[in-house]
Amino acid sequence: MSKKIMVMSSSLDGRLLTAIETAKELGIKTVACIREEDDESLAGADHCYAVGSDDVHKLLEIAKKEEIDGVLGVWDKTVLPAAIIAEELGLPGNSPECVTSFLEKSRFRRLQKNAGVFFPAFFETDTVQGLKEKCSKLHFPVIVKPVLCSSSFGQTMLYDDKDMIPAFEKAAAHSRNGSVCVEEYIEHGSLRILEAEIFLVGDDILWDGIYWCYRFPEAPLRPVLVTFPVSLDNCQEAEFKSTVKKVLSASGARIGEFDVEGFFTNEGRFFIIEINPRPAGYYCQQDVELFCGVDFTKLMVTTFIGDMSYFEELNSFQRQRRYLLSYAVFSFQPGFFDHVHIDDSIKESLVTFRVLPGGEPGAYIEDIHADNRPVGLAVFEFSSEEELDQAVRSIRKLVYVVLKQQNGV
């Protein structure tokens, strides 16, 4: 009898669609839970339910009715309901307390403190009362961010307390519990951070998905460009892995894919900006597979129904190592989208271009500063590290959004 997995997302996101597709290829029955406003037929699952991610009681009823063998939450809003369902039904997963310690920004800082790793001074508040007084105890610049949110939405960096109230209101509006975290900005001196998709099973961690993530000066909180591979010296690799292991251990995590973001301080400590207890967006799992050949979606789907065969197979799997660049294409000004220009000099290096919702010709799009997603993802492969580095330096001139002209202008 086939196994059955339930996949939950707050949208028809690529993580849900690829998980459903992978499960079906493996002969696993699928149940999708999506938003009420989404088209159920587009999920591609054997059974699909439109239900809000906050209706845990209804989601649990569906899980029991479908007699599922595993449950996945692939979006921030669905990770906690998935953990609750897994605990209730005795399925593979992490505890709700563990998941919450990653989801809530201020609770994650406390987790870092308990794990004995580097973390910034911070405080949490759900009111503007006493906000400036509390900020006076921190060193500027500070980041004001929603306690419960994702994709860098609602964040503001402040160099003084002048715009503290608007920054608080913006963050609170994006935060699912209305609370805001204010923390000292740890100076990095670079727009490049280290990011990793790692996979945990018990005490074992797969480190295959490590990559560089770049921002642009105009939008320093917005990830736009990732490259593979990453080469760390022995001290950096040991510090990175030790820090991540300590935090995962302190959280009680036992299984799953985690998205880690951070960088090395001037003192050589690895500062974890955040760990998301779910896959990164923008088809990162597919980029990891293109880079090294390890299918993180397959890992996630199989292990969460208790099948460890693929995980064990990877012990002897020969990894490849490709020079990849994945570019999230944003517009630098608002307008009506026409197309993405890709220069002839780089077209031969294009591996794939993934169109994202909202990136259809004629759609009105905001600029990179708005809380929106890119119009698409362009993935390129190069033959050497030198070619890859050159592409990173020139990517904005080679790949960019073209807007429709209005009134002949």
Side-chain angles (χ1 to χ4, degrees), residues 127-322:
T127 175
V128 297
Q129 185 176 0
L131 189 60
K132 290 189 177 183
E133 181 182 348
K134 292 176 182 176
C135 276
S136 68
K137 299 175 183 178
L138 303 182
H139 292 95
F140 282 89
V142 300
I143 296 180
V144 183
K145 59 176 71 173
V147 164
L148 271 174
C149 193
S150 61
S151 302
S152 302
F153 291 169
Q155 297 192 23
T156 305
M157 188 156 66
L158 298 177
Y159 294 87
D160 54 49
D161 64 4
K162 276 194 313 184
D163 297 317
M164 185 59 68
I165 303 302
F168 169 87
E169 292 173 345
K170 177 182 178 182
H174 281 83
S175 183
R176 295 194 295 279
N177 66 357
S179 289
V180 171
C181 179
V182 183
E183 65 182 44
E184 291 182 356
Y185 176 71
I186 306 302
E187 296 288 349
H188 181 34
S190 172
L191 291 169
R192 186 181 77 170
I193 68 168
L194 187 67
E195 193 160 349
E197 291 296 291
I198 62 172
F199 205 93
L200 172 72
V201 175
D203 295 321
D204 296 324
I205 299 177
L206 295 181
W207 302 95
D208 295 286
I210 304 175
Y211 54 93
W212 293 119
C213 180
Y214 296 77
R215 276 103 162 127
F216 289 147
E218 303 95 316
L221 301 179
R222 172 77 71 187
V224 291
L225 177 68
V226 303
T227 63
F228 300 82
V230 167
S231 296
L232 303 176
D233 63 39
N234 291 338
C235 290
Q236 287 177 324
E237 183 175 351
E239 167 67 11
F240 164 67
K241 291 184 176 180
S242 172
T243 302
V244 174
K245 284 180 179 178
K246 287 177 181 178
V247 173
L248 289 175
S249 177
S251 74
R254 302 302 298 161
I255 191 170
E257 185 171 345
F258 295 84
D259 171 41
V260 183
E261 300 178 21
F263 58 84
F264 295 96
T265 67
N266 293 332
E267 295 73 30
R269 303 291 301 277
F270 186 69
F271 167 44
I272 302 177
I273 300 171
E274 63 181 8
I275 296 181
N276 298 300
R278 42 79 179 161
Y282 298 174
Y283 288 86
C284 185
Q285 291 172 311
Q286 286 67 42
D287 290 343
V288 171
E289 185 177 4
L290 285 172
F291 162 60
C292 66
V294 176
D295 187 342
F296 269 55
T297 307
K298 182 177 178 180
L299 259 177
M300 190 171 60
V301 168
T302 52
T303 56
F304 272 79
I305 60 169
D307 178 1
M308 298 297 158
S309 58
Y310 182 57
F311 177 76
E312 293 166 356
E313 177 186 323
L314 291 173
N315 289 329
S316 57
F317 177 73
Q318 186 66 42
R319 272 72 165 169
Q320 58 191 15
R321 185 180 171 92
R322 302 169 72 181

Side-chain angles (χ1 to χ4, degrees), residues 62-124:
I62 294 169
K64 291 178 177 178
K65 170 189 170 185
E66 292 286 350
E67 298 181 335
I68 62 171
D69 300 288
V71 55
L72 289 174
V74 295
W75 191 282
D76 276 15
K77 292 181 181 179
T78 59
V79 172
L80 183 56
I84 293 171
I85 292 169
E87 185 174 69
E88 177 73 20
L89 301 183
L91 302 175
N94 298 306
S95 71
E97 293 77 14
C98 167
V99 168
T100 303
S101 70
F102 292 110
L103 291 176
E104 296 188 10
K105 301 295 190 290
S106 50
R107 188 175 292 199
F108 181 66
R109 295 296 179 233
R110 290 193 289 273
L111 174 62
Q112 289 172 293
K113 181 179 180 180
N114 293 337
V117 302
F118 179 85
F119 69 98
F122 71 98
F123 67 86
E124 179 182 344

Side-chain angles (χ1 to χ4, degrees), residues 38-60:
D38 287 327
D39 186 344
E40 296 180 22
S41 66
L42 298 179
D46 295 304
H47 299 282
C48 188
Y49 298 86
V51 55
S53 57
D54 56 346
D55 194 344
V56 180
H57 178 72
K58 187 172 182 180
L59 289 167
L60 182 56

